[in-house]
């Protein structure tokens, strides 16, 4: 394996300046330039960590990220102490409290975390999750007033509320205190609230703002820590045990990964330690969901994003919005089993709907030509799947995408996903300020909006003009980033184990990509749903197995299927362990290839 890293990031890996998919291959991060000119890491772990932004002096703490090492003082965030004091008052007075959450995984986990924590203090908090179709995203004034009329003296909105100006005014008029815990982009003016905790407030200092990549559930964990500290200072735990916040990290890990929050800094510690807690299966609901997902081993980071998260989301997308919170907070194994089975059924229904909408959206996206942002809309699309479809469309077209479902009144609910270097959330806020949207907000990589059907074309023009330079830079700078080069024989289970040391991997902390070869294709065929499977033989006499998902009909797939037996290629992708069969093996999940001769 080649562990040497070139000083210049202009160096083409394996000499590939243009691959079969039309991109250069470059080393991921020029370690010598970015961090320390005089230091070249001499082991694979250090190389991988530094290529992902870890400083030389921080390598050791990044090897095994802990909460202690990365947890900030919660008080650095504006309104955090004020929120903790108000919650502490509610705990001591046994006030009725309602947690108002979003209907996605981040909202469900955020609500579940606070509910489980408050129950540990002897409280009986309620949950309110709005219906996606009937109520839409975020708190409405009518809902908050209704909750107040039901007896709540304190409402905590989680994963929503940063843009709820009118709703929070109505809540204040109804005499109920509201604490907003959010992570979405804030405007320069903030809605009225007893406290608004959000690292993405524009008035945060640099230290607090550096945590803007936290999911809402991560912000809720910090609020939980502040609350425990406040109650400790009041002597609340004189005659009772303090709750172990770390026991809630399984919920934090799930929400963080499912919300595609960047896995760096504190988020990486949340997920690393949260996976350990999840493996102990103390949470009855999560344990039932793991069983329903047919996972035979302790969940991995990938399982959170592709097995557990989608099932929690299915309740909010095409079923009952509160199923996720109920599952994550129940202590009844039978109830947990029943909810998990229902979520499994709803997830299968969601997949069917998603496929139909995705096919239609892709056709409309292709017809938009050279627009920098694909904005597609149609009546009849299920609004519960438009976020997933936007992500698929973004990957297919290589540019930001917004998918809008129009209702019978011509009002569209839209969800968008962006590419690296393009702040879609800020652009949506600007469109709202310009009067193009009824509502809108989000963060850099994802956004949601409400728009009148007759303004969709104007929205396309606005986003195209505003984001074209950023999209162009992002696409022109596209390259396949490689971490290591090896011979085919190097693709083995031991390599998988070595790479896993630097995990968990996800958004902002990408899984290692390796290049292998040169190889001759000795077998290539199509399996399953448009998947390309191949076997290559290297000069070292060893063979390598690879699979490219949904790429058989692509330019890459066609090249592999028709490759002459005498021509050699470099292939690149992620290495995955395969434990099927008598003994473990490894294969490459193919992402690109380039001719070696």
């Amino acid at each position: 394996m080649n562990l040497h890293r070139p000083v210049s990031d202009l160096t083409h890996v394996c000499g590939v300046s243009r691959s079969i998919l039309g991109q250069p291959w470059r080393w991921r991060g020029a370690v010598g330039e970015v961090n320390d000119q005089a230091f070249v890491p001499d082991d694979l772990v250090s190389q991988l960590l530094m290529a992902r932004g870890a400083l030389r002096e921080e390598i050791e703490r990044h090897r095994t990220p802990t909460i202690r090492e990365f947890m900030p003082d919660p008080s650095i965030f504006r309104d955090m102490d004020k929120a903790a004091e108000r919650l502490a008052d509610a705990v001591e007075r046994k006030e009725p409290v309602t947690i108002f959450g979003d209907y996605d995984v981040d909202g469900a986990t955020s609500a579940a975390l606070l509910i489980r924590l408050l129950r540990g203090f002897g409280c009986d908090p309620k949950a309110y999750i709005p219906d996606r179709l009937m109520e839409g995203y975020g708190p409405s004034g009518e809902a908050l007033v209704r909750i107040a009329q039901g007896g709540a003296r304190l409402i905590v909105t989680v994963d929503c509320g940063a843009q709820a100006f009118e709703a929070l005014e109505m809540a204040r008029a109804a005499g109920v205190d509201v604490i907003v815990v959010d992570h979405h982009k804030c405007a320069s003016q903030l809605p009225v609230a007893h406290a608004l905790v959000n690292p993405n407030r524009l008035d945060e200092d640099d230290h607090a703002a550096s945590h803007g990549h936290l999911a809402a559930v991560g912000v809720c964990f910090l609020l939980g820590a502040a609350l425990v500290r406040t109650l400790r200072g009041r002597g609340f735990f004189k005659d009772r045990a303090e709750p172990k916040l770390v026991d809630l990290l399984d919920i934090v890990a799930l929400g963080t990964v499912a919300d595609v929050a960047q896995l760096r800094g504190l988020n990486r510690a949340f997920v690393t330690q949260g996976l350990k807690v999840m493996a102990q299966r103390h949470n009855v609901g999560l344990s039932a969901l793991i069983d329903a997902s047919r996972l035979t081993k302790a969940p991995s980071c990938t399982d959170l994003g592709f097995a557990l998260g989608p099932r929690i989301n299915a309740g909010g997308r095409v079923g009952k919005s509160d199923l996720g919170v109920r599952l994550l907070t129940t202590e009844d194994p039978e109830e947990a089993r029943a909810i998990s089975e229902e979520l499994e059924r709803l997830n299968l229904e969601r997949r069917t709907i998603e496929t139909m909408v995705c096919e239609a959206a892709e056709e409309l996206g292709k017809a938009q030509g050279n627009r920098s942002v694909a904005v597609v809309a149609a009546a009849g699309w299920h609004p519960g799947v438009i976020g997933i479809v936007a992500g698929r469309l973004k990957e297919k077209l290589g540019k930001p995408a917004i998918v809008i479902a129009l209702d019978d009144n011509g009002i569209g609910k839209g969800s968008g996903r962006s590419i690296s270097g393009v702040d879609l959330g800020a652009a949506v806020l600007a469109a709202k300020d310009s009067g193009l949207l009824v509502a809108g907000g989000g963060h850099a990589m994802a956004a949601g909006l409400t728009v009148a059907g007759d303004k969709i074309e104007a929205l396309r023009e606005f986003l195209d003009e505003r984001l074209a330079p950023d999209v162009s830079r992002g696409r022109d700078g596209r390259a396949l980033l490689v971490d290591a080069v090896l011979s085919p024989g190097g693709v083995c289970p031991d390599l998988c184990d070595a790479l896993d040391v630097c995990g968990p991997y996800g958004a902002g902390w990408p899984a290692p990509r390796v290049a292998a070869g040169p190889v001759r294709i000795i077998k290539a065929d199509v399996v399953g749903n448009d998947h390309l499977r191949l076997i290559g033989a290297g000069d070292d006499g060893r063979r390598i197995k690879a699979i490219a998902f949904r790429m058989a009909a692509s330019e890459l797939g066609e090249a592999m299927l028709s490759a002459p037996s005498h021509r050699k290629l470099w292939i690149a992708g992620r290495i995955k362990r395969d434990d099927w069969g008598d003994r473990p093996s490894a294969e490459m999940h193919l992402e690109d290839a380039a001719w070696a001769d």
Side-chain angles (χ1 to χ4, degrees), residues 111-288:
L113 184 148
L114 291 182
I115 288 170
R116 294 183 73 93
L117 182 61
L118 291 173
R119 282 180 182 172
F121 299 143
C123 300
D124 184 26
K126 307 298 181 185
Y128 187 101
I129 309 296
D131 182 272
R132 180 188 291 265
L133 299 181
M134 302 301 295
E135 298 177 82
Y137 170 78
S140 67
E142 293 77 8
L144 296 184
V145 170
R146 190 164 58 249
I147 292 170
Q149 291 172 342
R153 304 313 307 147
L154 174 63
I155 300 172
V156 184
T157 71
V158 293
D159 196 29
C160 57
Q163 297 290 325
F165 291 90
E166 181 179 350
L168 295 184
E169 285 284 2
M170 292 176 66
R172 182 172 68 168
V176 63
D177 289 335
V178 179
I179 295 172
V180 174
V181 185
D182 204 351
H183 70 133
H184 293 100
K185 293 279 185 181
C186 290
S188 55
Q189 181 181 356
L190 298 175
V192 60
H194 182 85
L196 196 157
V197 183
N198 186 337
N200 287 306
R201 286 176 55 153
L202 298 181
D203 56 351
E204 289 285 14
D205 64 22
D206 291 343
H207 188 193
S210 69
H211 292 82
H213 62 292
L214 294 179
V217 70
V219 183
C220 286
F221 184 87
L222 294 175
L223 175 58
L227 174 58
V228 170
R229 184 173 62 186
T230 300
L231 289 172
R232 185 189 306 127
R234 296 185 182 188
F236 185 79
F237 302 113
K238 184 182 300 183
D239 300 317
R240 67 175 74 200
E242 285 193 21
K244 295 182 179 179
L245 276 173
V246 294
D247 289 345
L248 298 173
L249 286 175
D250 50 359
I251 295 176
V252 180
L254 175 58
T256 298
V257 173
D259 208 52
V260 201
Q262 293 197 6
L263 297 191
R264 53 185 175 86
L266 181 57
N267 277 346
R268 191 159 165 262
F270 280 151
V271 177
T272 299
Q273 303 306 322
L275 287 171
K276 296 177 182 178
V277 176
M278 193 177 296
Q280 299 170 14
R281 298 183 67 147
H282 294 317
N283 186 300
V284 172
L286 269 178
S287 182

Side-chain angles (χ1 to χ4, degrees), residues 286-571:
L286 269 178
S287 182
L289 190 64
I290 291 169
D291 291 338
S293 303
R294 294 177 291 281
L295 299 178
T296 58
K297 296 182 179 179
S300 66
C301 189
T302 300
D303 293 328
L304 303 190
F306 292 96
L308 305 184
R311 286 168 170 80
I312 294 285
N313 251 336
R317 292 187 186 281
V318 296
K320 298 177 181 178
S321 59
D322 66 344
L323 285 177
V325 175
R326 287 171 51 198
L327 177 70
L328 296 174
T329 56
T330 185
E331 299 295 343
D332 181 349
E334 184 57 32
E335 181 185 25
R337 184 193 61 78
I339 295 175
S340 294
E341 291 179 353
E342 176 69 0
L343 289 174
E344 176 70 12
R345 184 189 66 79
L346 291 171
N347 193 47
L348 292 174
E349 180 182 336
R350 184 269 306 169
R351 288 180 182 175
T352 301
I353 296 170
E354 175 194 326
T355 298
M356 294 187 294
V357 176
C358 198
E359 291 175 353
E362 286 182 5
E363 289 301 314
L364 292 175
K366 292 176 185 176
Q368 292 194 10
N370 295 323
R371 285 197 181 275
S372 298
V373 181
V375 181
V376 298
W381 287 351
H382 196 299
V385 302
I386 56 176
I388 301 174
V389 174
R392 303 264 192 238
L393 192 59
K394 175 204 74 170
E395 294 297 330
K396 192 86 170 181
L397 302 179
K399 59 186 178 183
I402 295 175
V403 178
I404 301 171
L406 293 165
D407 64 18
D408 294 339
N409 298 315
I411 300 298
K413 296 289 185 180
S415 186
R417 299 293 183 268
S418 193
I419 62 175
S420 180
V422 180
D423 192 336
L424 186 60
V428 167
L429 275 179
K432 177 187 173 185
D433 292 342
S434 298
L436 293 174
L437 303 178
V438 177
H443 45 80
M445 300 302 289
L449 56 86
T450 303
V451 60
D454 60 1
K455 290 192 175 181
I456 291 177
E457 184 58 33
L459 176 64
R460 288 193 183 103
E461 296 288 347
F462 178 90
L463 294 175
D464 194 47
E465 180 178 354
R466 180 184 176 91
L467 295 179
D470 291 340
V471 173
S472 178
R473 281 191 294 269
R475 301 182 78 180
D476 289 345
R478 185 185 65 168
L480 192 80
L481 303 181
V482 176
D483 291 282
V485 177
L486 57 151
S487 64
V491 179
C492 61
D494 287 344
L495 175 63
C496 297
D497 294 340
L499 297 178
D500 284 346
V501 172
C502 296
Y505 300 107
W509 196 267
R513 182 183 291 116
V514 304
V519 299
R520 291 180 296 105
I521 304 301
I522 60 176
K523 181 180 180 180
D525 57 4
V526 180
V527 296
N529 185 18
D530 195 38
H531 307 319
L532 169 70
R533 179 179 60 184
L534 63 85
I535 298 176
D539 294 339
D540 61 355
R542 304 290 292 276
R543 292 187 174 188
I544 180 173
K545 297 187 300 180
I547 186 166
F549 294 103
R550 299 186 183 90
M551 295 190 73
S554 71
E555 187 176 0
L556 176 64
E558 292 174 358
M560 297 295 95
L561 290 168
S562 61
S565 60
H566 65 277
R567 292 203 69 180
K568 296 180 180 180
L569 303 103
W570 290 100
I571 58 177

Side-chain angles (χ1 to χ4, degrees), residues 37 57 62 71 80 137 185 208 400 430:
Q37 291 277 3
E57 60 271 19
H62 279 284
M71 181 90 162
M80 180 68 82
Y137 170 78
K185 293 279 185 181

